[in-house]
Amino acid sequence: MKTGAKVGISERKAREREERGRRIVVAARTIAERDGWASVTIRRLADEIEYSQPVLYSHFQNRDEIVGAVALEGFGELAGILRAAIRPSSTPEEAIEGVATAYLDFAFARPAMYEAMFILPTGLRFARSDTPTQLREGFGAMATVIAPFAQDVDTATETFWAALHGLAELERHGRIRPAFRSHRITLIMQMVSGQLQR
Amino acid sequence: MKTGAKVGISERKAREREERGRRIVVAARTIAERDGWASVTIRRLADEIEYSQPVLYSHFQNRDEIVGAVALEGFGELAGILRAAIRPSSTPEEAIEGVATAYLDFAFARPAMYEAMFILPTGLRFARSDTPTQLREGFGAMATVIAPFAQDVDTATETFWAALHGLAELERHGRIRPAFRSHRITLIMQMVSGQLQR
DNA sequence: CATATATTCTAGCATTGCTAGTTTGTCAAT
DNA sequence: ATTGACAAACTAGCAATGCTAGAATATATG
């Protein structure tokens, strides 16, 4: 019978299948970070995992879902980085600056990953009941450092996040001067903390 | 000879050619705003202007340049909208809020245009000697309302712009709550003007 | 009229995401 | 061992894309 004495076999198969899915995501990420997302084609991924193309579609509905899987990893890593940037010894102002700097460092150190997370179509669903925790944790880290300065923490965090995202995107596209990045961070920190000098 | 008595002919031809180029850009914009940029294909544009596909490549090097031409129009329009948002009777604080609101209204009313201006590859060159004026004027309008509150106007304007761009993008991607848009604008206005209540 | 020069078109290449339909492998029941 | 049913994977191909070489056509020049 199908689920008979040798249950271990189907479990092993499930593991191997899971492992193959992982290899697809790893390959997608690797290629994207080295050659850009345009080079992440189904054919190239199929070559990489040494299976034919249709196999990929038994793991993901379409290419966008593969990008989404990489993006999800990214959100998890970003959350960790932002949390780590909050030193217990730092003042509230320093905490803001630290998180802002860490956020932008992430964006510029991993442009392909950032692109998957915020630019490319991924099919990821935000602000839903089934939203993965990775998508919430980064927001939580930012909220932590914003809270001391805000009445409406959620709205203030959204605004802080938007400012960081805008800085990342405009600089990535060469619209603002890279040399003044730290000045802009300082400005945001002063504005949020209400210590703006003029 | 080539430039003989009938100079008018070649001038008429140049005009017609110019006109044909315009029609390409208009068609691209129209299709993009109705069906999205993915529907703006060379074949569809060729159909629209009733010429064969290779003709497009005598006007633009590639598809990206067509997107760029549309984006350039968009920068001109955005600049006008931002300037118009600065009412002479308004206080400096109101001016900031007005420009911010106008910016986001533009982004949400013309998503395809905004995408061409800020997301898609266009080949447009910023911060160069040959940078078209359209690309500078929008920045200028923002700088006008930021100047009363800033020491380093350029850096402060870059930061303000980044905040607006981030708000537009995160909301467009469903990452932040649309219902709180005006709250976030108020927050930015208060932060920039140093009137943050906490 | 003949010839050179632009202009425009036809036809096609290479690449993409995706899928239908077939082949191959697996495993329980005979 | 053989068979038959089911699952897994592959081959082959479709339709669409950006772009281009080379042929055909129109236009201007001698």
Side-chain angles (χ1 to χ4, degrees):
Chain A
M1 52 169 108
K2 190 175 291 182
T3 54
K6 308 193 178 155
V7 190
I9 290 179
S10 63
E11 285 180 351
R12 188 206 71 223
K13 286 194 173 181
R15 270 201 315 276
E16 287 172 350
R17 205 187 137 70
E18 168 73 21
E19 164 62 17
R20 193 174 60 181
R22 286 283 320 142
R23 287 181 55 219
I24 294 172
V25 178
V26 169
R29 175 176 186 163
T30 306
I31 296 170
E33 292 188 330
R34 192 170 50 218
D35 303 329
W37 279 106
S39 298
V40 181
T41 68
I42 303 297
R43 280 170 179 79
R44 181 138 174 219
L45 289 175
D47 277 359
E48 206 71 39
I49 66 169
E50 298 180 296
Y51 279 89
S52 65
Q53 300 161 39
V55 165
L56 300 186
Y57 291 93
S58 74
H59 288 271
F60 303 93
Q61 285 226 335
N62 49 45
R63 184 182 179 277
D64 288 355
E65 264 195 10
I66 300 177
V67 180
V70 175
L72 204 57
E73 276 192 17
F75 279 108
E77 292 175 18
L78 176 59
I81 287 174
L82 294 186
R83 268 199 304 265
I86 309 176
R87 314 285 308 150
S89 58
S90 60
T91 67
E93 286 82 8
E94 287 169 347
I96 292 215
E97 190 167 11
V99 166
T101 301
Y103 186 100
L104 292 180
D105 283 352
F106 176 88
F108 295 118
R110 298 170 158 80
M113 179 60 91
Y114 197 83
E115 212 181 334
M117 293 163 65
F118 289 104
I119 310 294
L120 302 176
T122 58
L124 290 183
R125 308 193 172 284
F126 283 73
R128 300 211 169 199
S129 55
D130 63 336
T131 296
T133 51
Q134 288 99 320
L135 304 190
R136 304 179 190 276
E137 290 174 357
F139 190 89
M142 291 190 273
T144 303
V145 298
I146 289 294
F149 301 101
Q151 292 198 318
D152 180 345
V153 177
D154 280 354
T155 306
T157 304
E158 285 178 343
T159 309
F160 178 58
W161 182 17
L164 296 179
H165 178 57
L167 288 177
E169 278 300 290
L170 291 186
E171 185 173 340
R172 209 165 62 88
H173 281 84
R175 251 84 156 178
I176 55 180
R177 302 161 299 169
F180 288 75
R181 187 191 305 172
S182 64
H183 290 68
R184 292 186 291 265
I185 292 178
T186 304
L187 215 54
I188 284 185
M189 188 263 282
Q190 290 175 344
M191 291 195 309
V192 172
S193 67
Q195 295 180 335
L196 184 62
Q197 337 261 349
R198 21 177 191 134
Chain B
M1 52 171 110
K2 189 176 291 184
T3 55
K6 308 190 179 159
V7 188
I9 291 178
S10 64
E11 287 180 348
R12 188 206 72 224
K13 286 196 173 179
R15 270 202 313 276
E16 288 173 352
R17 204 188 138 69
E18 169 72 22
E19 163 63 17
R20 192 175 61 183
R22 286 283 318 144
R23 288 180 54 217
I24 294 172
V25 178
V26 169
R29 176 177 183 162
T30 306
I31 296 170
E33 293 189 328
R34 193 170 49 217
D35 304 328
W37 280 105
S39 298
V40 180
T41 67
I42 303 296
R43 280 169 179 80
R44 181 139 173 216
L45 289 175
D47 277 359
E48 206 71 39
I49 65 170
E50 297 180 297
Y51 279 89
S52 67
Q53 300 161 39
V55 165
L56 298 186
Y57 292 92
S58 74
H59 289 269
F60 303 93
Q61 285 224 335
N62 50 45
R63 184 182 180 277
D64 287 355
E65 265 196 9
I66 300 177
V67 180
V70 174
L72 204 57
E73 276 192 18
F75 279 107
E77 293 175 19
L78 176 59
I81 286 174
L82 294 186
R83 268 198 305 266
I86 309 175
R87 315 284 308 149
S89 59
S90 60
T91 67
E93 285 81 7
E94 287 168 348
I96 292 213
E97 189 167 11
V99 165
T101 302
Y103 186 100
L104 291 180
D105 284 350
F106 176 89
F108 295 119
R110 297 169 159 78
M113 179 60 90
Y114 196 82
E115 212 181 335
M117 294 163 65
F118 290 104
I119 310 296
L120 302 175
T122 59
L124 291 182
R125 307 192 172 285
F126 284 73
R128 301 212 168 197
S129 54
D130 63 337
T131 296
T133 51
Q134 288 98 319
L135 304 189
R136 304 180 189 275
E137 292 173 356
F139 190 87
M142 291 189 274
T144 302
V145 299
I146 289 294
F149 302 101
Q151 292 197 320
D152 181 346
V153 178
D154 280 353
T155 305
T157 304
E158 285 178 344
T159 309
F160 178 59
W161 182 17
L164 296 179
H165 178 58
L167 288 178
E169 278 301 290
L170 291 185
E171 184 173 339
R172 209 165 63 83
H173 283 84
R175 251 83 155 178
I176 55 181
R177 303 161 298 167
F180 288 75
R181 187 192 305 171
S182 64
H183 289 68
R184 292 186 291 266
I185 292 179
T186 303
L187 214 54
I188 284 185
M189 189 265 282
Q190 291 175 344
M191 290 195 308
V192 171
S193 67
Q195 295 180 334
L196 184 62
Q197 336 261 351
R198 28 174 188 133

